[in-house]
Amino acid sequence: MKQREKLVEIRNLKQYFNAGKPSMVKAIDDISFDIYKGETLGLVGESGCGKSTTGRTIIRLYDATDGEVFFNGEDVHGTKSKAQLKDFNRKMQMIFQDPYASLNPRLKIADIIAEGIDIHGLAKNKEDRMQQVQNLLETVGLNREHANRYPHEFSGGQRQRIGIARALAVQPEFIIADEPISALDVSIQAQVVNLLKKLQIEHGLTYLFIAHDLSMVKYISDRIGVMYFGKLVELASSEELYKNPIHPYTQSLLSAIPAPDPYSERIRKRKVYNPNIHEYDEGEDLQMREVKPDHFVYCSEKEFKQYQTIHTK
């Protein structure tokens, strides 16, 4: 088996808001995982579980409370010079959830897309700058003439394509897509996801795809991580996770996916996750454990043995 090359490494990452105060929120609570070059890692969970905060902390929109993030072996949150930060920001880009709020309404599309090109000096002159913008528009399925229009002249799906073009403009290696389809009509969502898959192949991109739509995450992701209240509770390949969910919370999430069949929907029984089913002794060692090859579950030693007995027969 070919050894996979790590692009992003997250080690014991913590993001606490109002740290040290009674109102402290543990948005990310000691999570660790890797993202390999050329793959799409899906990150799922219900609203408020910390998945978007994870993406923003990885890219350093938030400074981590504790833990480490490595990109190509370099510490993202370590002290960096302006030149190092600028280079890092070119290699790692983000596509935001709201295509309406993420584009400056006062700027033409050409200037929105070319912002990164200007900052990093990637154009030889004005003609080259416009040529790059027009090429990017065509790459994401828009027309060259759209460069001279304003954001309000576009639909939600078109605006998200513009956001994708803006991210691609600086030729990144890694893109964090933070719920990029949640604000779009269902008919448009598949188009955007198919575009992302096509661009990944053409440009050799690596994605962290954050979403709560489990069916869409399965379609685009190679591996999937499940978050619950700031914790990563399960991590496995997309196919394995859907066929054999182990953590009770993952089972609950998957049981909520609607089936395109009225009869199946009538008889479907949803599993409700109750966190109180876990009985832990004080000071018990809870961690991600490999229940099956490349299938990790957050559990105690006792639960680990139970999961192995049930799921490795």
Side-chain angles (χ1 to χ4, degrees):
M1 181 179 177
K2 186 179 178 182
Q3 185 67 31
R4 295 180 295 180
E5 187 177 353
K6 295 177 183 177
L7 181 67
V8 183
E9 300 171 67
I10 291 89
R11 295 289 173 266
N12 307 110
L13 189 64
K14 297 178 182 179
Q15 183 57 263
Y16 297 171
F17 296 112
N18 298 324
K21 298 179 181 179
S23 58
M24 181 175 72
V25 175
K26 295 183 178 181
I28 310 172
D29 191 14
D30 196 16
I31 66 172
S32 300
F33 60 93
D34 299 320
I35 303 173
Y36 298 98
K37 282 192 176 181
E39 81 163 341
T40 297
L41 177 69
L43 198 58
V44 302
E46 55 196 309
S47 296
C49 71
K51 55 190 187 296
S52 290
T53 303
T54 299
R56 289 167 180 258
T57 305
I58 288 172
I59 204 171
R60 204 173 165 173
L61 288 177
Y62 299 144
D63 287 327
T65 303
D66 198 7
E68 297 171 306
V69 177
F70 295 97
F71 179 75
N72 271 329
E74 294 185 16
D75 185 2
V76 171
H77 289 266
T79 303
K80 292 181 179 292
S81 66
K82 286 186 178 180
Q84 288 174 318
L85 276 174
K86 187 176 177 181
D87 184 56
F88 163 73
N89 290 333
R90 188 183 72 78
K91 293 176 181 176
M92 189 183 292
Q93 288 287 301
M94 194 162 193
I95 300 168
F96 294 94
Q97 177 178 359
D98 189 348
Y100 296 92
S102 63
L103 305 180
N104 189 332
R106 295 181 178 86
L107 293 181
K108 288 185 177 180
I109 299 307
D111 295 322
I112 290 172
I113 293 175
E115 186 175 8
I117 295 172
D118 297 339
I119 290 170
H120 296 280
L122 300 178
K124 300 172 186 175
N125 48 47
K126 287 184 178 180
E127 290 74 21
D128 182 40
R129 178 183 187 265
M130 181 56 77
Q131 184 64 49
Q132 288 189 46
V133 168
Q134 291 175 339
N135 288 343
L136 285 161
L137 284 169
E138 289 185 336
T139 297
V140 298
L142 297 174
N143 298 325
R144 299 166 73 90
E145 295 75 24
H146 289 155
N148 293 315
R149 296 186 183 178
Y150 288 91
H152 73 268
E153 300 180 65
F154 296 89
S155 67
Q158 288 174 320
R159 290 189 202 197
Q160 197 58 287
R161 288 173 185 265
I162 293 165
I164 294 169
R166 178 175 58 185
L168 286 175
V170 294
Q171 300 152 28
E173 295 179 42
F174 177 56
I175 291 179
I176 297 173
D178 183 14
E179 303 214 37
I181 58 173
S182 64
L184 306 178
D185 292 341
V186 174
S187 59
I188 306 299
Q189 289 180 0
Q191 295 177 20
V192 172
V193 168
N194 286 332
L195 172 63
L196 289 171
K197 291 186 74 167
K198 174 174 170 284
L199 294 172
Q200 182 175 37
I201 295 168
E202 293 175 352
H203 297 270
L205 295 168
T206 303
Y207 292 140
L208 175 63
F209 189 86
I210 299 167
H212 59 262
D213 184 338
L214 288 157
S215 55
M216 195 60 77
V217 170
K218 182 186 179 185
Y219 175 65
I220 194 173
S221 301
D222 299 294
R223 293 186 301 138
I224 296 174
V226 180
M227 287 193 72
Y228 177 75
F229 274 87
K231 292 285 190 184
L232 189 67
V233 297
E234 192 159 358
L235 178 64
S237 71
S238 176
E239 185 177 355
E240 167 67 15
L241 190 83
Y242 277 72
K243 281 171 120 180
N244 185 29
I246 295 176
H247 195 279
Y249 177 68
T250 306
Q251 294 175 356
S252 171
L253 279 182
L254 294 179
S255 74
I257 299 176
D261 174 46
Y263 177 73
S264 297
E265 278 299 288
R266 280 198 300 272
I267 63 173
R268 176 168 63 96
K269 291 183 180 179
R270 181 178 175 182
K271 293 183 180 179
V272 179
Y273 176 58
N274 178 8
N276 295 323
I277 63 172
H278 306 282
E279 295 181 0
Y280 301 130
D281 297 328
E282 188 174 347
E284 192 164 1
D285 183 26
L286 299 172
Q287 58 177 277
M288 292 292 280
R289 304 175 192 270
E290 193 172 13
V291 176
K292 299 173 66 178
D294 293 324
H295 192 152
F296 298 85
V297 182
Y298 183 76
C299 59
S300 65
E301 182 67 30
K302 180 181 176 183
E303 286 175 324
F304 174 62
K305 291 176 180 176
Q306 290 174 344
Y307 293 153
Q308 279 198 312
T309 301
I310 297 170
H311 295 279
T312 57
K313 288 180 179 179

